[in-house]
Amino acid sequence: MDYEAIFHQAIERLKSERRYRVFADLERDASRFPVALWRPEGQEDQPREVVIWCSNDYLGMGGHPAVVSAVTRAAERHGAGAGGTRNISGTHHPIVELEQELADLHGKEAALVFTSGWISNLAGISTIASLLPDCLILSDELNHNSMIEGVRRSGCEKQLWRHNDLAHLEELLIAAGPDRAKLIVCESLYSMDGDIAPVAGIADLAEKYGAMTYIDEVHAVGMYGPRGGGVCEREGVMNRIDVIEGTLAKGYGTLGGYIAASASIIDAVRSYAPSFIFTTALPPTVAAGACAAVRHLKTSSQERSRHQRMALLTKHALRAAGLPVMENASHIVPVMVGDAETCKKASDLLLERHGIYIQPINYPTVAIGTERLRITPTPRHEEVHVADLVEALVDVWTTLGLPFTASEIIPLRRAEPEAVCVYPEMKRAAE
């Protein structure tokens, strides 16, 4: 058997379907984020400055002085690694502190940290559901891959409810009956479309029909709520959600995932989940950096306010230019393209011609025919960055013959370099 040929053919299939992914060689500059150095293939010794517009480090906390300082101190004191699994090597103190901060953030008795948000969903959902007798999992149809894998791993029966459709969820809860164990799993903020779940309505239904709730807040923690507890904190329902799952790799700018819940739920997952028991713990450096980020954002609203302002500004400017921005009430700014090959061309043109990095989003991350550029403004983007982005996107849309949503494109009014360059709508949003 020609094993190499099998793998080669698998890759060629992806390329023929326009689903083959290419990763840019980028070197972030913590002091100048969102500026980075791009090293084009074959020209690695000739790096070019680019502006990143698709980072999940939503608040720029990866380069925050308090976070960098905490990481540095932890490395000097504890070294680079964790020394093994917590089952073998014990729990180093920075993780103890981090879990206490996370439990406090969500108003829960306990929290448990994992090596990634993907693993925390896999472990949390699969373990909780498998311990519930004859559990029925009710899963939003647009849940993330990590949640889908957690549902599969549980071995429990599942039913999909239409995205954010409370009436359909209620139908399924009624049909399940009052005596059956039921686990509702959903996200609070869906990262590809940017829409937000009706978390209060979900909590109402769970209480009415005797279901447990598990809500993924990975794209909301740090960014929403008075202390960064996410959409559930903002809506005042954290105490009504049984399990809150989050990440440390987005709003908090570091690495890792976690769940927060009652002490008994956390202890059960800690004791039964193979993907926790047999995985090396987060190193002290990462735990300390994450802890510093969580503590900072509990008391500082400056980053959240600036973040929301830049997201609003960016949306207004893109819409004013006739670019097809998908409507939502979050910080996610999806610009619809609708074709995988064209989406890749748009991304390449932005990078090569304009020094702007936005990775194309194609299947299977989104459905075929809904390919898009997913833009994520941060507090560290400036108004001039927005103006440059709009100008670049208008050029790319024109070059590729992509449709605009307005009959007229509002021309970009360039000013002196130190001045703020804005569209009328951007200016009104800024005011």
Side-chain angles (χ1 to χ4, degrees):
M1 182 176 291
D2 189 344
Y3 295 107
E4 286 296 316
I6 293 171
F7 296 115
H8 177 75
Q9 290 165 9
I11 293 300
E12 289 304 310
R13 282 198 302 273
L14 288 178
K15 290 180 177 179
S16 68
E17 296 166 2
R18 304 294 189 267
R19 294 199 292 123
Y20 182 72
R21 298 172 189 241
V22 178
F23 302 139
D25 182 349
L26 294 174
E27 182 180 330
R28 284 180 24 140
D29 185 336
S31 65
R32 300 178 63 209
F33 180 79
V35 173
L37 289 180
W38 171 47
R39 301 180 188 275
E41 188 175 355
Q43 304 174 49
E44 287 82 1
D45 59 342
Q46 302 173 44
R48 291 173 50 188
E49 276 197 0
V50 299
V51 176
I52 298 174
W53 271 102
C54 59
S55 174
N56 278 350
D57 186 359
Y58 293 134
L59 299 177
M61 291 301 294
H64 192 281
V67 176
V68 174
S69 176
V71 170
T72 302
R73 291 195 308 271
E76 291 172 346
R77 182 175 181 182
H78 304 293
T85 67
R86 292 165 74 170
N87 189 49
I88 295 295
S89 301
T91 298
H92 58 73
H93 194 63
I95 279 191
V96 173
E97 293 182 310
L98 174 58
E99 289 176 341
Q100 290 171 346
E101 289 291 340
L102 292 168
D104 172 76
L105 174 67
H106 295 295
K108 302 298 184 186
E109 292 178 336
L112 192 65
V113 167
F114 299 82
T115 51
S116 73
W118 197 93
I119 292 295
S120 59
N121 269 335
L122 177 75
I125 295 171
S126 64
T127 306
I128 291 167
S130 66
L131 290 174
L132 295 172
D134 189 30
C135 179
L136 172 65
I137 301 177
L138 301 171
S139 178
D140 186 289
E141 65 180 347
L142 293 189
N143 277 341
H144 188 263
N145 169 267
S146 58
M147 304 184 81
I148 294 169
E149 291 300 322
V151 172
R152 287 175 178 165
R153 183 70 64 89
S154 73
C156 298
E157 181 186 354
K158 72 164 184 182
Q159 292 180 352
L160 298 181
W161 49 289
R162 290 187 294 271
H163 179 55
N164 282 349
D165 188 334
L166 291 177
H168 188 218
L169 175 59
E170 184 167 24
E171 289 176 14
L172 297 177
L173 287 165
I174 292 171
D179 298 325
R180 187 173 187 185
K182 299 171 286 292
L183 178 66
I184 300 170
V185 297
C186 65
E187 301 179 48
S188 67
L189 195 163
Y190 290 82
S191 64
M192 290 300 119
D193 293 348
D195 55 332
I196 294 174
V199 292
I202 291 168
D204 289 341
L205 291 177
E207 291 167 359
K208 183 176 180 179
Y209 296 104
M212 278 190 66
T213 46
Y214 181 110
I215 294 188
D216 174 318
E217 288 257 36
V218 297
H219 292 278
V221 287
M223 281 88 70
Y224 297 90
R227 299 200 308 158
V231 171
C232 290
E233 182 189 29
R234 186 186 71 178
E235 300 302 312
V237 298
M238 279 200 306
N239 63 321
R240 300 172 61 200
I241 304 302
D242 295 297
V243 185
I244 294 176
E245 186 266 348
T247 187
L248 304 166
K250 295 180 172 63
Y252 296 119
T254 55
L255 179 70
Y258 66 89
I259 58 172
S262 69
S264 59
I265 291 174
I266 293 301
D267 199 14
V269 175
R270 181 191 70 85
S271 301
Y272 280 91
S275 47
F276 173 80
I277 295 169
F278 299 105
T279 299
T280 297
L282 278 184
T285 50
V286 175
C291 196
V294 173
R295 283 174 177 163
H296 176 81
L297 290 173
K298 281 180 178 179
T299 58
S300 172
S301 61
Q302 178 182 348
E303 292 82 4
R304 283 188 286 277
S305 297
R306 170 75 180 174
H307 178 236
Q308 289 296 317
R309 176 179 178 275
M310 291 312 299
L312 179 65
L313 220 57
T314 304
K315 288 180 180 181
H316 275 253
L318 295 176
R319 290 193 191 106
L323 292 157
V325 178
M326 296 174 63
E327 295 289 336
N328 64 55
S330 75
H331 61 280
I332 306 294
V333 187
V335 180
M336 184 59 68
V337 177
D339 175 77
E341 188 169 4
T342 307
C343 197
K344 179 65 167 62
K345 287 179 181 177
S347 174
D348 290 344
L349 274 174
L350 284 169
L351 186 59
E352 294 161 6
R353 186 182 289 181
H354 298 282
I356 288 174
Y357 177 69
I358 306 175
Q359 183 75 347
I361 304 296
N362 296 333
Y363 179 83
T365 307
V366 295
I368 293 172
T370 68
E371 293 83 2
R372 68 200 64 179
L373 298 175
R374 176 182 176 271
I375 296 168
T376 53
T378 74
R380 297 182 66 176
H381 283 92
E382 301 290 342
E383 284 82 353
V384 68
H385 290 139
V386 179
D388 289 342
L389 171 68
V390 176
E391 184 176 49
L393 283 169
V394 167
D395 174 64
V396 167
W397 248 243
T398 303
T399 299
L400 297 177
L402 288 165
F404 290 88
T405 58
S407 57
E408 276 188 14
I409 302 170
I410 301 173
L412 184 68
R413 302 184 306 196
R414 301 300 294 179
E416 295 302 314
E418 66 272 13
V420 175
C421 306
V422 294
Y423 284 88
E425 281 78 1
M426 190 194 306
K427 189 173 189 301
R428 286 198 293 272
E431 293 167 350

